[in-house]
Amino acid sequence: MVAYTRSEAKQWTRQHMVKSTNAVPTPFKANFSLDLPTLASHVDRWAQDELHGLMTGGNTAEAWNMTPTEWWQYSETVAQANRGRMLLTSVILDPSPFTVLEKAHRLAELGFDLIEVINPVIQLRSDSDLFDFYKYLNDHSPLGIVLYNTPTAGVTLNHGLINRLADLEMVVGIKNGLLNPADSIALRKQCGDRIVVTEPMESFYLWDAIVHGGQCLFGTCEYVMFGRKRETLVKYMALADAGKFDQALPLYRELEPLRDLMNNAFVWNIVRKNQYSLAPIKYWFELLGFRMGPCRPPLPAFADEEMKTAIRDTLISTGVIDANQAAA
């Protein structure tokens, strides 16, 4: 059952899209089939670790590379393992509004809270067509719609269009995944009174929260990936939310080596190639004790040894894991 009515969707989202919502990889077996028991175990552990929100179904989850049957098995496993403990958002990558809505209704039944819909990847390019796409979703979706503005879709939404979409009752937020904080600042000034505008760059959160009205990290994965340094992240975010810059800054700086590692292992490939290179991220999760297995073809199954060494050495030197964890 959805926790809000249509008229309550925007305010509910404002109150609940806070703290950290992590987009996490999906575990696969050696034969590239879904490892659903391991997925359920991971979801339970993330809930026990007090992760606020879990984002499923997106690029980091390799959901684009699942069959429809697998996608449903994956989504049902997440919902059943969560048992209402974390905010659940499902990314939907389909270009057909009918497919999006079919999924949205079933996800609502499973207990998901929001859907994040990628910009249509084919056919629709004009502002008029894009508006009509989201208007149709708005009129029929049982769940609040978060826009997923990313160049990986092949088209990005301009501010004029987003401003129009922000007036729609069930459009409740946006993940502005352009890796350009200045764009998110301008967008928040324009329509942040009607939708929650999120900037996914954790490296910007201290300033975003204190100066520009940011209220969450949405669709990243630092909460899980920072391991034993998680409390440092949580503390500086809380201080930033309270406007206590001087107290937050030393904690923020402690995490700089991990940001550099994240950029080298993952972010720069998105910037340069619009490509999610997940094998290094899966190895990072493995070192934290989360069995992940390979990435599915045609992606490289595993990270190369040079990248593995860089990840392992940095996680040990920063205290995210210890040498015994790395050896295991």
Side-chain angles (χ1 to χ4, degrees):
M1 180 177 178
V2 181
Y4 48 84
T5 64
R6 292 181 67 86
S7 63
E8 296 168 340
K10 287 182 184 288
Q11 185 58 34
W12 186 94
T13 303
R14 183 81 58 184
Q15 294 171 348
H16 290 83
M17 193 187 286
V18 295
K19 301 181 181 179
S20 291
T21 291
N22 277 198
V24 291
T26 301
F28 290 101
K29 299 177 183 178
N31 65 357
F32 303 116
S33 63
L34 283 171
D35 190 344
L36 296 176
T38 297
L39 174 63
S41 175
H42 291 350
V43 171
D44 182 63
R45 181 173 161 188
W46 293 325
Q48 291 185 47
D49 286 343
E50 299 182 340
L51 174 62
H52 176 73
L54 193 65
M55 179 176 287
T56 70
N59 288 307
T60 304
E62 296 180 76
W64 63 274
N65 210 10
M66 296 180 192
T67 68
T69 299
E70 290 173 329
W71 195 93
W72 283 118
Q73 292 173 336
Y74 159 86
S75 299
E76 290 169 354
T77 298
V78 169
Q80 291 166 5
N82 181 49
R83 303 195 306 278
R85 291 174 288 176
M86 296 179 286
L87 174 81
L88 286 186
T89 302
S90 178
V91 181
I92 301 181
L93 303 174
D94 299 277
S96 163
F98 295 93
T99 304
V100 174
L101 290 169
E102 179 180 280
K103 289 184 173 182
H105 282 278
R106 180 66 181 125
L107 290 166
E109 294 171 0
L110 289 173
F112 278 75
D113 299 291
L114 299 167
I115 56 172
E116 180 180 297
V117 182
I118 199 168
N119 306 338
V121 297
I122 58 173
Q123 186 68 19
L124 306 178
R125 288 293 180 269
S126 72
D127 283 3
S128 176
D129 287 344
L130 291 167
F131 181 86
D132 289 345
F133 172 84
Y134 287 107
K135 178 66 166 61
Y136 191 83
L137 297 183
N138 172 81
D139 293 347
H140 299 89
S141 175
L143 295 174
I145 300 162
V146 178
L147 307 174
Y148 181 17
N149 201 23
T150 170
T152 60
V155 61
T156 55
L157 308 178
N158 63 65
H159 285 201
L161 175 58
I162 295 170
N163 192 42
R164 292 178 62 202
L165 294 173
D167 285 334
L168 298 177
E169 188 174 41
M170 294 298 281
V171 174
V172 297
I174 182 170
K175 178 182 177 182
N176 199 35
L178 305 184
L179 299 178
N180 181 357
D183 190 84
S184 297
I185 293 168
L187 187 61
R188 194 176 291 132
K189 288 180 178 179
Q190 185 176 49
C191 58
D193 59 327
R194 285 160 289 151
I195 60 175
V196 179
V197 178
T198 71
E199 165 58 50
M201 293 179 66
E202 180 275 328
S203 59
F204 185 63
Y205 187 79
L206 177 56
W207 292 267
D208 196 28
I210 291 176
V211 181
H212 303 294
Q215 66 178 61
C216 63
L217 288 174
F218 190 74
T220 61
C221 44
E222 289 87 359
Y223 187 94
V224 173
M225 292 177 68
F226 284 5
R228 294 180 180 179
K229 301 297 287 186
R230 177 182 306 140
E231 283 306 308
T232 303
L233 173 71
V234 171
K235 288 178 181 177
Y236 104 67
M237 286 183 65
L239 290 167
D241 293 342
K244 299 179 180 179
F245 181 84
D246 289 345
Q247 296 178 50
L249 184 58
L251 299 174
Y252 171 89
R253 284 176 170 161
E254 283 185 32
L255 301 174
E256 196 63 22
L258 294 174
R259 293 186 190 98
D260 291 341
L261 179 62
M262 180 79 82
N263 287 337
N264 291 330
F266 185 58
V267 175
W268 297 142
N269 275 326
I270 299 177
V271 173
R272 295 164 182 157
K273 304 178 184 178
N274 282 336
Q275 178 188 85
Y276 283 71
S277 297
L278 292 169
I281 299 303
K282 283 196 164 184
Y283 179 69
W284 190 323
F285 271 76
E286 293 267 0
L287 290 172
L288 294 170
F290 296 101
R291 189 164 73 247
M292 283 293 162
C295 292
R296 275 184 155 178
L299 295 176
F302 300 104
D304 61 47
E305 291 305 315
E306 182 179 1
M307 179 59 73
K308 286 182 178 180
T309 299
I311 294 171
R312 184 172 59 249
D313 289 352
T314 301
L315 296 190
I316 293 173
S317 66
T318 55
V320 172
I321 62 173
D322 59 33
N324 289 333
Q325 279 181 281

